[in-house]
Amino acid sequence: MTTKTKTSYHHGDLRPTLLIAATEMVNEGGVEALSLRKLAEKVGVSRTATYHHFKDKHDLLCAVAAQGFANWQDIEQAIFNDCSLSTHERYRKFVFQYIEFAAKNPALYDLMFGSTLWKDGKSNKNLRDVAYPAFQHQVDMTKAWQENGILPRSENTLRLAQVTWGTMHGIARLLIDGIYADASSVEEMCECAVNLFLNAEKTA
């Protein structure tokens, strides 16, 4: 492992390796389990090498969260562009995949959307430069779904995207916090959310 990592570092690939390992550490033990020293030990490099890429733990956490947003945007982009599914099926998959992403990465999800990085302006520019476009992409998707006639055209696109995200975020939090740990309950809530949003256009 050490030899492989040092070889990657020689080729300038250490940062992605560090982010993958740091994300694993966060998902396994939460942000408390992560430090630059422990990360260096896990990857098999010197602590000095990690400081070449992250100035401190907060900078590292912001980078991990930013990578999480980038990964989620890749998922939602793939759903949006999946021509094998109908527009309705894509929207349903979008909602379910969001909850699945949160369920599979609870600690990462907490980091991405929690107060650790966002309260009192703690997020850094690198995180904001990824997180804000990720939400804007959801706004763009919402607008396209409105134009396709499956979401209410009468609603303000930004507000509709915010309400959709707020609903999904709420379900995700109920799942992560263990309030609704039963998978069938979560699935039914997701199905209900999809039906409510899609049927809203029919009654508008």
Side-chain angles (χ1 to χ4, degrees):
M1 178 65 180
T2 302
T3 302
K4 181 179 179 180
T5 301
K6 288 183 177 179
T7 301
S8 296
Y9 179 49
H10 177 71
H11 293 291
D13 295 331
L14 180 58
R15 183 182 173 88
T17 301
L18 291 171
L19 283 176
I20 291 171
T23 300
E24 291 175 354
M25 293 173 71
V26 168
N27 272 329
E28 290 170 2
V31 297
E32 298 81 7
L34 182 64
S35 70
L36 289 171
R37 176 184 61 79
K38 292 177 181 177
L39 177 61
E41 291 175 355
K42 179 178 178 65
V43 175
V45 297
S46 68
R47 194 188 317 182
T48 303
T50 64
Y51 279 103
H52 285 311
H53 298 275
F54 312 104
K55 63 182 181 180
D56 52 29
K57 179 177 178 177
H58 181 265
D59 190 43
L60 173 59
L61 289 175
C62 285
V64 170
Q67 187 61 54
F69 278 108
N71 291 344
W72 165 244
Q73 186 168 342
D74 287 344
I75 293 171
E76 65 178 3
Q77 183 69 60
I79 295 170
F80 188 75
N81 293 332
D82 188 353
C83 296
S84 69
L85 301 175
S86 69
T87 305
H88 286 73
E89 289 170 334
R90 277 179 254 180
Y91 188 80
R92 182 181 185 277
K93 187 173 182 179
F94 165 70
V95 173
F96 275 78
Q97 285 286 91
Y98 183 95
I99 305 305
E100 182 177 342
F101 178 85
K104 288 184 175 179
N105 307 279
L108 174 61
Y109 187 87
D110 276 340
L111 182 64
M112 290 168 60
F113 295 105
S115 60
T116 299
L117 298 182
W118 292 106
K119 191 174 182 179
D120 301 324
K122 294 177 184 176
S123 62
N124 64 18
K125 183 177 183 300
N126 290 335
L127 173 56
R128 294 192 297 272
D129 285 348
V130 177
Y132 292 168
F135 179 71
Q136 181 58 48
H137 183 251
Q138 183 176 330
V139 175
D140 295 339
M141 291 168 62
T142 300
K143 183 175 180 61
W145 280 323
Q146 286 179 295
E147 292 172 348
N148 285 328
I150 70 166
L151 292 179
R153 294 185 179 91
S154 59
E155 296 295 336
N156 176 275
T157 300
L158 174 59
R159 297 295 175 242
L160 183 56
Q162 289 170 329
V163 170
T164 302
W165 173 69
T167 301
M168 295 189 301
H169 180 67
I171 296 173
R173 284 260 44 109
L174 290 172
L175 175 61
I176 291 173
D177 293 340
I179 298 173
Y180 280 98
D182 183 357
S184 64
S185 296
V186 174
E187 183 174 343
E188 289 172 4
M189 283 190 281
C190 289
E191 199 69 63
C192 180
V194 171
N195 291 337
L196 284 173
F197 284 114
L198 295 187
N199 288 335
E201 170 60 18
K202 299 177 183 179
T203 59

